Amino acid sequence: MALDYPTLPGDIDHLIADDHAIVERQFQHLEAGRGNRRVLVDQISLELALHAFAEETVLYPIWSEIGMQDEHDDAEHEHQRIKELLVVLGSTEPGQDEFEQALTELIGLVRHHVDDEETEELPEFRRKAGPERMAQLGKEFLAAKRQAPTRPHPSAPDEGLAERIAGMLAKPLDHVRDLLSGKQKEAATDASGLLNPQAQAIVDAHSSLGPLSFEILTPDQARKQPGPKEAVEKVMAERGLEGPEAVGSVEDLDIPDGAGGTQRLRVYKPADAGTAPLPVVMWIHGGGWVLFDIDDHYDASCRGLTNKTGAIVVTPDYRRAPEAVFPASHDDVLTAYHYVLQNAASFGGDASRVAIGGESVGGNMAAATCLQLAANGQPLPLAQVCVYPLTTGEQFGESMVDAADGRPLNRALLSWMAMHAFEGRPDAAQDPRIDLLGWTTEQRAQMPPTLVITDERDVLRSQGEQFARDLEAAGVATTHRHYAGVMHEFFGAAAVLDEAEQAQQEAAAHLTRAFGGVQQGRGSL
């Protein structure tokens, strides 16, 4: 389920293929008899309703204009039947003959539709419409999804302005129906049945907050949605747990960024720090270079590492895209690292004992910072930790298929992040600060001792695993730890997820060994 020609993350054909991959994986769960059958079908119905509306209002009118009328007619006929089957599935229940027959027909029809689209129609469309139009059409495709009704409407107009108007009228009614039925509270969960109970509770809690799909929103809209932090806090509240985890002190500093301005650097100190200089860990948050900041989910990671290592943890609040695209975030992180080395003593740190790490794109920037330091002949951190890191801008490995539907990070959201992070920089994915898998053996060999942490339900799993293999083959002291049954963003959930606590302990032990000390226990203040 992948296009066999190159695309950019925001191209309309790229976005369409992401949708296909997500729905196909959900079909596979249904066929394997795992997961929540009702929720999976409701999620598929939402995906296909938004997808069909966006194709019919953005893509199909152009097909008619450029001489693809036969393809247009066939696709619209299939969309009509898909909508009819989704109505049946929405009005019946799993196990009923009508439900199961409609589902079987839907799976076969969608797979046939996808095969035609990906092998014949989309390649022809790109050739005839021109590759330069694909990015703009991608933006229109996402905008159409934001306007789309959330349920199938077989009797509505199927193209152009009439369909847009019908969609605008149907969307608020669908919204009310989704609220009353509870479907909106399930739309963002992972219904695969592949998560362990604690991890499932977190994604269920996030979904219960009713977030809209990040991957179809504008960045400003997406930043206002509840995220992993709110999900963990909800589970903590349900269990009567207090938070956040206490540390000795937290202070924000204003330091230079990479563009002559300033950025925040948050400094976490352990309790009973004493007067002797402490080792320093620079921890870099994730969010695809677009979402989240140091006030979000990653605060919990920093607090946990502070208490478990007894070190000072600092985290830079780097600039984000699309306001500041690549390499702005990387420049800010490198600038922050230099600041820490030069000013560690001012906040009680020992500049001779510094390590680096991060989560998701933070893991990418940790390694990229080490690469830049090595290239400039500058001292490297004593160790690095890369937690479910992004190590290539390409859709790499089997996890892009088997975790395409994962939550909170699915394949479509990953493309959305890259689309905004690399806007105007189509060459960014080939830059060695992004393409860590493209490094030479000599570049890999310069890395400090590295811990790579990956997880099962994560589209970045395969590329993290490959990065660990590459470093080990280059002679770097490398440890890879994989956690089954959990999802992207699990690391900061130690208060309610055993695997997160274990992963933080693993990271702390790796860092403490590099500092030449003994790992600390969890703080109590």
Side-chain angles (χ1 to χ4, degrees), residues 206 209-212 214 221-231 292:
H206 181 236
L209 298 172
L212 301 177
F214 285 44
Q221 291 170 332
R223 291 168 185 164
K224 295 174 183 176
Q225 299 297 304
K229 177 183 178 182
E230 288 79 11
F292 309 138

Side-chain angles (χ1 to χ4, degrees), residues 185-494:
K185 300 295 186 179
E186 298 174 330
T189 195
D190 184 329
S192 68
L194 295 172
L195 295 176
N196 70 37
Q198 289 181 335
Q200 188 68 53
I202 296 171
V203 295
D204 284 348
H206 181 236
S207 189
S208 74
L209 298 172
L212 301 177
S213 299
F214 285 44
E215 60 267 22
I216 69 172
L217 301 177
T218 67
D220 185 58
Q221 291 170 332
R223 291 168 185 164
K224 295 174 183 176
Q225 299 297 304
K229 177 183 178 182
E230 288 79 11
V232 171
E233 288 175 345
K234 188 174 189 299
V235 176
M236 290 176 67
E238 291 170 350
R239 298 182 185 177
L241 301 174
E242 296 183 357
E245 181 178 343
V247 294
S249 65
V250 181
E251 180 184 7
D252 284 355
L253 306 176
D254 287 329
I255 69 168
D257 66 12
T262 61
Q263 62 178 317
R264 283 189 299 168
L265 183 75
R266 181 160 292 172
V267 180
Y268 298 80
K269 294 183 180 179
D272 302 322
T275 58
L278 295 176
V280 181
V281 178
M282 190 164 89
W283 196 255
I284 310 162
H285 73 79
W289 298 295
V290 180
L291 302 172
F292 309 138
D293 58 26
I294 60 176
D295 294 319
D296 286 310
H297 186 54
Y298 306 94
D299 173 70
S301 301
C302 293
R303 290 173 178 272
L305 291 173
T306 300
N307 288 331
K308 292 178 176 67
T309 61
I312 295 171
V313 174
V314 299
T315 184
D317 199 18
Y318 55 80
R319 289 170 291 160
R320 294 175 294 173
E323 295 85 355
V325 300
F326 177 82
S329 300
H330 288 76
D331 291 345
D332 288 357
V333 169
L334 181 62
T335 300
Y337 186 80
H338 286 308
Y339 177 90
V340 168
L341 288 187
Q342 295 163 8
N343 298 276
S346 69
F347 51 80
D350 181 353
S352 69
R353 291 187 293 164
V354 178
I356 195 168
E359 299 165 62
S360 193
V361 298
N364 167 278
M365 290 188 283
T369 298
C370 291
L371 179 71
Q372 291 172 278
L373 293 170
N376 293 328
Q378 297 169 323
L380 269 67
L382 296 180
Q384 70 175 345
V385 177
C386 300
V387 181
Y388 32 77
L390 182 143
T391 63
T392 175
E394 303 300 321
Q395 293 186 327
F396 179 87
E398 64 180 8
S399 61
M400 284 291 167
V401 176
D402 66 39
D405 63 319
R407 290 292 183 176
L409 180 64
N410 63 14
R411 186 161 138 178
L413 181 55
L414 184 65
S415 294
W416 179 90
M417 290 170 168
M419 174 180 69
H420 291 297
F422 305 151
E423 187 171 8
R425 289 292 308 271
D427 60 332
Q430 285 73 52
D431 189 289
R433 288 168 289 183
I434 300 296
D435 185 21
L436 311 189
L437 299 187
W439 288 358
T440 65
T441 301
E442 291 73 19
Q443 288 173 316
R444 295 167 185 153
Q446 298 176 91
M447 290 297 104
T450 301
L451 169 65
V452 178
I453 292 174
T454 60
D455 60 282
E456 181 180 2
R457 289 287 286 158
D458 190 343
V459 290
L460 300 183
R461 184 192 72 241
S462 294
Q463 54 186 267
E465 293 170 344
Q466 185 61 52
F467 185 58
R469 288 192 291 267
D470 289 349
L471 292 184
E472 186 172 24
V476 177
T478 305
T479 303
H480 173 220
R481 291 288 183 264
H482 175 74
Y483 289 87
V486 296
M487 64 294 180
H488 194 80
E489 302 287 20
F490 84 92
F491 187 79

Side-chain angles (χ1 to χ4, degrees), residues 1 19-29 31 111:
M1 306 289 292
D19 288 352
H20 292 166
I22 291 169
V23 170
E24 170 59 26
R25 187 55 176 157
Q26 291 171 318
F27 283 159
Q28 292 171 8
H29 300 320
E31 291 175 322
R111 283 175 172 162

